[in-house]
Amino acid sequence: MKTVRIPPALRSETEGKREVHAAGGTVRELLDDLVSRFPSLRSQLVDGDDIAPFVNVYVEGEDVRTLDGLETEVHDGSTVILLPAMAGGA
Amino acid sequence: MPSYRDLLQQVKAEIDEVDVSRAREIVDAPDERPLVVDVRELDEWTEGRIPGAIHIPRGNLESRIERAAPDRAQPILLYCAVGNRSAFAAKSLGELGYENVTSLAGGYTDWKRNGFPTEVPRSLDAAKRQRYSRHLLIPEVGEEGQLKLLDSRILLIGAGGLGSPASLYLAAAGVGRLGIVDDDVVDASNLQRQIAHSTERLGESKADSAKRTIEALNPDVDVVTYKERITSENIDRILADGWDVIVDGADNFATRYLLNDASVWHDIPLVHGSIYRFEGQVTVFTPHQGPCYRCLFPQPPPPELAPSCAEGGVLGVLPGIVGSLQASEALKIALGAGETLTGRLLLFDALATEFNEVTLRRDPDCPVCGEHPTITEYIDYVEFCSGRPTHA
């Protein structure tokens, strides 16, 4: 299992959990597993067959768009960070 | 027993002297520029010097020269007011084994009389020396760094959650000029976190309120207020006032994309901070050296997926932490010290008390800072962030 860090803006979709475990060997498989368990995450993470353009997915601190995108391998013990943009400042 | 004049003549016969014209040639030579040492007293030095000279008073010359010039073969040009003290100094250095020492005949007086360039070294007065004493003790700041801070100009977008702590710490640090852009007024719901304001300022302009707080904290700071919302129409005018760093404490995506594009086009580093509930993000966008906001987030999320703090709430202390980190980054940029967060996004989770960091990379296809930019002038940022399809 791999650990996926859920940002605060998405926690209402994951029953308030800040981290969830997910199964899969690639980012695509992990996201599929997540979305199957928390279906309302789909519109927040996925756009067609790709990661939504306003969300970044990091594996070991690297943006998967600079790696192999959805096919980026995720090893056991790795942490995946989901990062949507936040604009708050006031 | 020789007189002073006899001794001076004797010393001058033993050393190498140059006149001011030759000295100017030597000083201007790009490759073999000598170490120029001013051996006068402190009060003479502070009134003006040859540019690039270092100051070692005659009385300390023998004890300090080795640190300034460890290599005995290093060419050294010594000067004083008229060339007498520097002649004795040259003799001493010769006795210490320095092989290539010359004394400026006629000294600084002749140099200045010829209209050659001089500079007046700046220093902190006694009051500033006391106020910034804890900075002066830090090698990375010191007097030179503090003078840099006093010369620096930092623009804050927003005098709210992030802008309050950032502006107060930048002011306390002695940043010479702070610009504050905010069109809002102080509301009771702000006071849970916006510490530049106070209960007695309810209804007052936030820019004015922040200015009053800053001036009470540090009268050295010149505060320029812009009581307007920053837009495509006014941003070039505001940036034309001359800013070294922008601190982004905005509360909406449209302003953040506008600031990003302006920062790239005006080549001004942008210190980014954002907050929501218990989490904060901080980074520095250094134009053309690191990624920009569009490299990080090419598109804003649809509004329904990106609640603001007004909608989702924020822990009051969180902007204190994130805004202080922004101030710290801005100060380092002004000082030219340390490593900034350029190329790194720092994530802070107050609930878990956890810092994480991810790597940010430049996107070669970035529409603003990429190799072939497709956005080269301000767009309709409100439309871009509305969630409706746009051409951008």
Side-chain angles (χ1 to χ4, degrees):
Chain A
M1 297 297 266
K2 284 87 181 181
T3 304
V4 181
R5 205 174 157 277
I6 307 295
L10 299 185
R11 283 180 205 159
S12 51
E13 327 300 339
T14 58
E15 297 153 7
K17 294 193 179 86
R18 42 185 301 280
E19 282 183 357
V20 296
H21 293 294
T26 63
V27 171
R28 181 191 297 280
E29 289 166 7
L30 284 176
L31 292 185
D32 283 347
D33 181 38
L34 265 185
V35 166
S36 70
R37 287 151 55 209
F38 307 105
S40 56
L41 273 180
R42 176 176 293 278
S43 64
Q44 317 234 22
L45 295 179
V46 181
D47 182 18
D49 191 38
D50 210 345
I51 299 165
F54 46 84
V55 173
N56 294 344
V57 179
Y58 297 89
V59 174
E60 304 291 330
E62 287 285 342
D63 187 339
V64 299
R65 286 194 187 92
T66 67
L67 303 172
D68 295 323
L70 282 169
E71 308 314 323
T72 302
E73 286 185 24
V74 185
H75 302 287
D76 273 337
S78 286
T79 298
V80 175
I81 295 179
L82 303 181
L83 191 80
M86 312 195 296
Chain B
M1 179 87 61
S3 67
Y4 164 71
R5 191 144 296 280
D6 297 335
L7 189 59
L8 180 64
Q9 290 302 330
Q10 190 185 322
V11 166
K12 286 202 172 198
E14 294 173 24
I15 62 158
D16 290 328
E17 280 189 304
V18 289
D19 65 13
V20 284
S21 304
R22 177 69 192 130
R24 174 116 196 248
E25 288 170 20
I26 297 173
V27 166
D28 286 347
D31 296 334
E32 323 125 53
R33 193 179 200 279
L35 178 70
V36 183
V37 182
D38 185 323
V39 299
R40 298 174 301 161
E41 298 304 309
L42 183 62
D43 57 331
E44 299 172 280
W45 158 261
T46 53
E47 283 176 17
R49 66 184 179 196
I50 295 177
I54 63 163
H55 179 228
I56 307 179
R58 172 73 190 89
N60 301 107
L61 186 65
E62 292 83 352
S63 61
R64 295 195 195 158
I65 191 64
E66 286 176 350
R67 200 179 327 159
D71 177 4
R72 294 291 201 275
Q74 151 111 53
I76 297 174
L77 174 67
L78 299 168
Y79 74 89
C80 61
V82 296
N84 296 345
R85 281 172 288 175
S86 59
F88 288 105
K91 183 166 192 306
S92 290
L93 292 192
E95 287 166 357
L96 272 174
Y98 285 90
E99 298 157 10
N100 197 350
V101 181
T102 46
S103 167
L104 174 58
Y108 184 69
T109 310
D110 249 11
W111 178 276
K112 210 172 154 186
R113 190 185 294 137
N114 276 269
F116 293 163
T118 62
E119 67 183 16
V120 179
R122 298 169 59 221
S123 59
L124 296 169
D125 63 28
K128 287 190 174 63
R129 211 163 258 291
Q130 186 177 19
R131 177 180 284 269
Y132 304 115
S133 61
R134 299 302 188 275
H135 271 171
L136 302 185
L137 293 166
I138 307 175
E140 288 80 359
V141 187
E143 183 162 6
E144 197 182 325
Q146 190 62 52
L147 286 164
K148 274 191 203 167
L149 293 180
L150 287 161
D151 278 343
S152 62
R153 303 152 300 172
I154 298 181
L155 181 68
L156 295 126
I157 309 303
L162 297 172
S164 284
S167 63
L168 295 188
Y169 274 113
L170 293 174
V175 169
R177 179 175 291 178
L178 288 177
I180 298 176
V181 188
D182 203 312
D183 69 335
D184 204 2
V185 296
V186 180
D187 179 84
S189 67
N190 301 148
L191 298 177
Q192 161 255 23
R193 64 200 177 283
Q194 299 186 9
I195 56 168
H197 314 302
S198 64
T199 308
E200 65 178 19
R201 309 246 178 95
L202 290 174
E204 191 176 320
S205 137
K206 283 189 185 175
D208 284 342
S209 168
K211 181 180 164 87
R212 283 169 65 190
T213 307
I214 288 167
E215 286 175 348
L217 176 62
N218 188 350
D220 293 342
V221 182
D222 174 23
V223 183
V224 182
T225 57
Y226 302 90
K227 287 181 260 182
E228 52 199 312
R229 191 171 189 80
I230 199 155
T231 65
S232 303
E233 281 69 47
N234 62 17
I235 191 165
D236 285 337
R237 166 172 56 80
I238 291 170
L239 294 182
D241 289 344
W243 303 102
D244 305 316
V245 183
I246 304 170
V247 175
D248 179 0
D251 61 358
N252 63 86
F253 283 106
T255 305
R256 291 186 183 276
Y257 281 96
L258 166 66
L259 287 174
N260 179 71
D261 297 356
S263 123
V264 171
W265 296 330
H266 287 262
D267 200 12
I268 305 173
L270 180 64
V271 182
H272 172 93
S274 61
I275 47 174
Y276 180 71
R277 294 193 171 165
F278 286 93
E279 295 216 7
Q281 303 179 355
V282 194
T283 187
V284 175
F285 298 117
T286 307
H288 315 296
Q289 291 176 37
C292 78
Y293 189 57
R294 286 182 188 266
C295 301
L296 171 59
F297 295 115
Q299 279 182 37
E304 65 275 15
L305 297 185
S308 67
C309 295
E311 294 157 333
V314 61
L315 185 72
V317 68
L318 182 70
I321 295 162
V322 173
S324 299
L325 284 166
Q326 287 180 279
S328 173
E329 293 301 296
L331 288 175
K332 288 188 316 188
I333 296 168
L335 288 167
E339 296 286 325
T340 69
L341 281 170
T342 302
R344 297 182 287 151
L345 179 68
L346 186 68
L347 309 172
F348 174 60
D349 179 346
L351 211 49
T353 315
E354 194 177 84
F355 283 95
N356 275 291
E357 198 178 293
V358 296
T359 303
L360 306 186
R361 297 192 189 280
R362 288 188 74 176
D363 177 359
D365 299 323
C366 174
V368 170
C369 82
E371 289 160 10
H372 305 286
T374 53
I375 300 174
T376 54
E377 57 187 40
Y378 299 115
I379 60 168
D380 183 338
Y381 294 90
V382 175
E383 175 72 20
F384 176 57
C385 298
S386 68
R388 293 187 290 272
T390 74
H391 64 280

